[in-house]
Amino acid sequence: MAVQKLYAGAKLREMRSRMALSQKAFAEKLGISLPYLNQMEHNHRPVSAGVVLRLAQEFGFDVTELTTGDTERLHSDLREALSDPVFTSGVPAQADLRLVASNAPAVARALLDLHRAYRQAHERLASLDEALGREDRHATPSPWEEVRDFFHYCDNYIDAVDRAAERFARAAEGRDLVAVVAEALAKHGITLEIRESALVRAYDPETRRLTIAARAPEATRRFQLLHQLALLTQDDLLEAMLDLARFQTPEARGIAKIGLANYFAGAAHLPYTAFLTAAREMRHDLERLADHFQASIEQVAHRLSTLQRPGMKGIPFFFVRVDQAGTITKRHSATRLQFARFGGACPLWNVHQAFETPGRFLRQLAETPDGVRYLSLARDVTKSGGSFSAPVRRFAIGLGCEISHAAQVVYCDGLDLSGRFEPIGISCRICERPDCHQRSVPPLERRLVVDPDRRGVLPYGIAP
């Protein structure tokens, strides 16, 4: 197998800028010439093994960061955006898209912002009442999308919040977590009540009383307690993170604050070092981890996808949650597989089948059009409303990793890794497969061939 050359110019520039070093000073510390560094920073030459070693020795740099980051996400998002018919000249070559994503990430993000604004403006104009009656609306990203992209491009790992949560968990080690949180809240003059309530969590700032619904599962009660603790005791940290993010609207900032408090809750419930150690020992068995940490299977699966701390990374997992209509409600990927920004997931993916087999884990060996192979795990998740009249919410979660890591995951046991891999895609509109029997819409990147005298699985052909 040919050795893949490592081009990481943007990462090198980012690192040098972070340390406030000139190119000359940086080159001297790496023991290379200035022209050589300049060529590497502009991706004209790959990063050599010697430079990688010097980065680790001289700066303690986690060299795995050179091969991860925004490039794959930006490449996938650019490809999807430029497949929009509004770009009449067609989709640029994959090599060109990768070049833009790696060499000019700021330009790539600006283009994505522009395309998102176009889509939203187009959708608003399609609705007559909005077009005529909502003149105060501007073509800004929806708060939900803005926050989603914030976590997406942070690799779903927020270091400062994660470490703060771990410090709290270490201080509470060996004690009942609910009791520890109650004590911490009491120090702030807040009374905790766990009783019957229509709301899962309710805090009254006037009476300084926090109510948690007794009907909620134990894992949910713990999470909600930690969420409120984050809002009350980590406000300065959360606000500092929000200032750095520079959200465009107060609504986006508010949603992001909830997201950061959720992050703190998950990281305190499943503290990084202890959870990573247990995950490796238990070979990422979701049920054993859930039992060990008294968490839900969804909480464990989501946490596995966030283990991206520099110098202490876990397996790069993707995580997704879909509803019964196939709509993606949570998504993150530390792998090369990137989910579509618009629309649902590939119907051939096993996450959709999880609704048909409640209570069971489904395993799938899958291959995306770029030839990358994955182990994919799916299971349904049912969230009871707590009473006969309350609605039951059903989701399916998907968790997976590239096949090179599969041996470290218990779910790969007994699978034939040399056998057939299910061909899946990202979404139909950008999928390259011409013969998929589950295709819902034609690919935007290919020309259609229509022959009224011939009919195959699809009512049209796809030109090569």
Side-chain angles (χ1 to χ4, degrees):
M1 181 179 294
V3 177
Q4 185 178 1
K5 294 180 179 180
L6 175 60
Y7 291 90
K11 282 286 184 181
L12 288 175
R13 292 196 304 271
E14 177 188 336
M15 182 181 182
R16 180 170 60 80
S17 175
R18 195 164 61 236
M19 295 185 296
L21 292 175
S22 65
Q23 274 195 329
K24 182 179 179 181
F26 195 41
E28 289 175 353
K29 287 183 176 292
L30 294 177
I32 59 176
S33 68
L34 179 58
Y36 187 31
L37 174 62
N38 185 64
Q39 288 178 324
M40 285 194 298
E41 286 196 354
H42 290 85
N43 283 338
H44 295 155
R45 295 188 69 168
V47 179
S48 68
V51 169
V52 170
L53 185 61
R54 290 287 294 175
L55 285 170
Q57 292 176 338
E58 185 73 23
F59 304 106
F61 186 66
D62 182 0
V63 295
T64 61
E65 291 188 50
L66 291 175
T67 59
T68 58
D70 295 349
T71 300
E72 289 297 332
R73 294 183 183 86
L74 285 172
H75 171 254
S76 178
D77 292 349
L78 278 175
R79 183 183 168 204
E80 183 182 0
L82 292 172
S83 296
D84 195 307
V86 70
F87 298 103
T88 57
S89 58
V91 182
Q94 298 298 306
D96 292 341
L97 292 181
R98 289 190 182 278
L99 194 63
V100 172
S102 61
N103 277 8
V107 175
R109 291 193 185 95
L111 179 58
L112 291 173
D113 289 343
L114 181 62
H115 178 252
R116 180 172 54 189
Y118 158 76
R119 280 182 58 94
Q120 290 179 335
H122 182 74
E123 290 168 1
R124 291 188 183 111
L125 288 173
S127 174
L128 185 61
D129 60 336
E130 283 199 3
L132 297 178
R134 302 287 297 277
E135 295 178 357
D136 58 320
R137 295 288 294 270
H138 301 286
T140 57
S142 74
W144 188 261
E145 289 176 341
E146 192 178 0
V147 174
R148 177 198 66 184
D149 286 350
F150 165 72
F151 283 100
H152 181 59
Y153 286 110
C154 283
D155 213 16
N156 208 29
Y157 174 75
I158 313 294
D159 188 72
V161 179
D162 206 299
R163 292 181 186 273
E166 186 171 31
R167 287 193 294 271
F168 172 82
R170 283 176 176 167
E173 193 170 1
R175 300 182 58 199
D176 177 67
L177 189 60
V178 174
V180 173
V181 174
E183 288 178 9
L185 293 172
K187 290 180 181 178
H188 289 77
I190 298 166
T191 304
L192 170 64
E193 286 188 354
I194 298 179
R195 59 178 175 81
E196 288 298 323
S197 171
L199 298 174
V200 176
R201 171 177 52 85
Y203 174 65
D204 187 339
E206 292 186 2
T207 62
R208 301 188 70 78
R209 188 176 300 276
L210 173 63
T211 301
I212 301 293
R215 61 180 169 78
E218 181 65 25
T220 301
R221 293 206 298 268
R222 289 170 179 268
F223 186 89
Q224 293 300 328
L225 279 170
L226 289 166
H227 175 100
Q228 194 68 50
L229 182 74
L231 293 176
L232 295 169
T233 67
Q234 303 291 326
D235 187 67
D236 289 345
L237 173 61
L238 302 187
E239 288 294 330
M241 298 301 301
L242 294 171
D243 289 341
L244 290 173
R246 297 180 180 178
F247 291 106
Q248 298 186 37
T249 64
E251 293 83 2
R253 187 181 177 100
I255 294 171
K257 189 167 187 177
I258 293 174
L260 290 172
N262 281 338
Y263 189 100
F264 179 94
H269 195 178
L270 305 169
Y272 196 102
T273 303
F275 184 74
L276 176 61
T277 301
R280 288 170 173 169
E281 291 176 353
M282 299 178 187
R283 297 184 62 214
H284 306 86
D285 188 316
L286 299 186
E287 291 171 294
R288 290 182 63 193
L289 287 167
D291 181 65
H292 181 75
F293 288 96
Q294 296 182 287
S296 70
I297 286 177
E298 181 180 345
Q299 288 171 348
V300 168
H302 186 273
R303 183 56 167 156
L304 285 172
S305 73
T306 69
L307 300 180
Q308 296 300 301
R309 179 178 292 179
M312 196 191 297
K313 292 189 176 184
I315 291 177
F317 280 103
F318 64 72
F319 170 78
V320 68
R321 189 181 74 179
V322 302
D323 64 17
Q324 290 176 281
T327 304
I328 296 175
T329 59
K330 287 183 181 180
R331 68 180 177 102
H332 171 64
S333 178
T335 71
R336 282 179 281 181
L337 186 148
Q338 300 300 323
F339 302 107
R341 291 162 61 83
F342 308 103
C346 175
L348 297 178
W349 193 18
N350 66 340
V351 70
H352 301 292
Q353 301 169 19
F355 292 109
E356 303 170 10
T357 55
R360 288 179 51 196
F361 284 100
L362 299 182
R363 301 182 297 172
Q364 181 184 38
L365 297 175
E367 181 177 348
T368 47
D370 57 3
V372 181
R373 293 183 163 187
Y374 298 91
L375 168 66
S376 178
L377 182 71
R379 176 170 167 157
D380 75 306
V381 174
T382 300
K383 300 190 176 186
S384 171
S387 68
F388 176 76
S389 58
V392 175
R393 295 182 298 156
R394 293 193 68 199
F395 300 96
I397 58 172
L399 182 75
C401 63
E402 294 186 19
I403 208 67
S404 58
H405 302 287
Q408 303 174 56
V409 181
V410 67
Y411 302 101
C412 113
D413 293 354
L415 294 178
D416 181 8
L417 301 186
S418 62
R420 183 178 183 274
F421 281 70
E422 186 76 25
I424 66 170
I426 305 302
S427 72
C428 288
R429 66 195 300 270
I430 60 172
C431 183
E432 301 171 356
R433 302 189 192 279
D435 54 354
C436 177
H437 61 284
Q438 283 288 348
R439 179 176 289 283
S440 59
V441 295
L444 294 176
E445 300 178 29
R446 299 286 189 87
R447 182 175 59 85
L448 298 187
V449 178
V450 181
D451 185 346
D453 296 323
R454 297 172 63 86
R455 168 65 196 250
V457 176
L458 300 174
Y460 49 80
I462 301 174

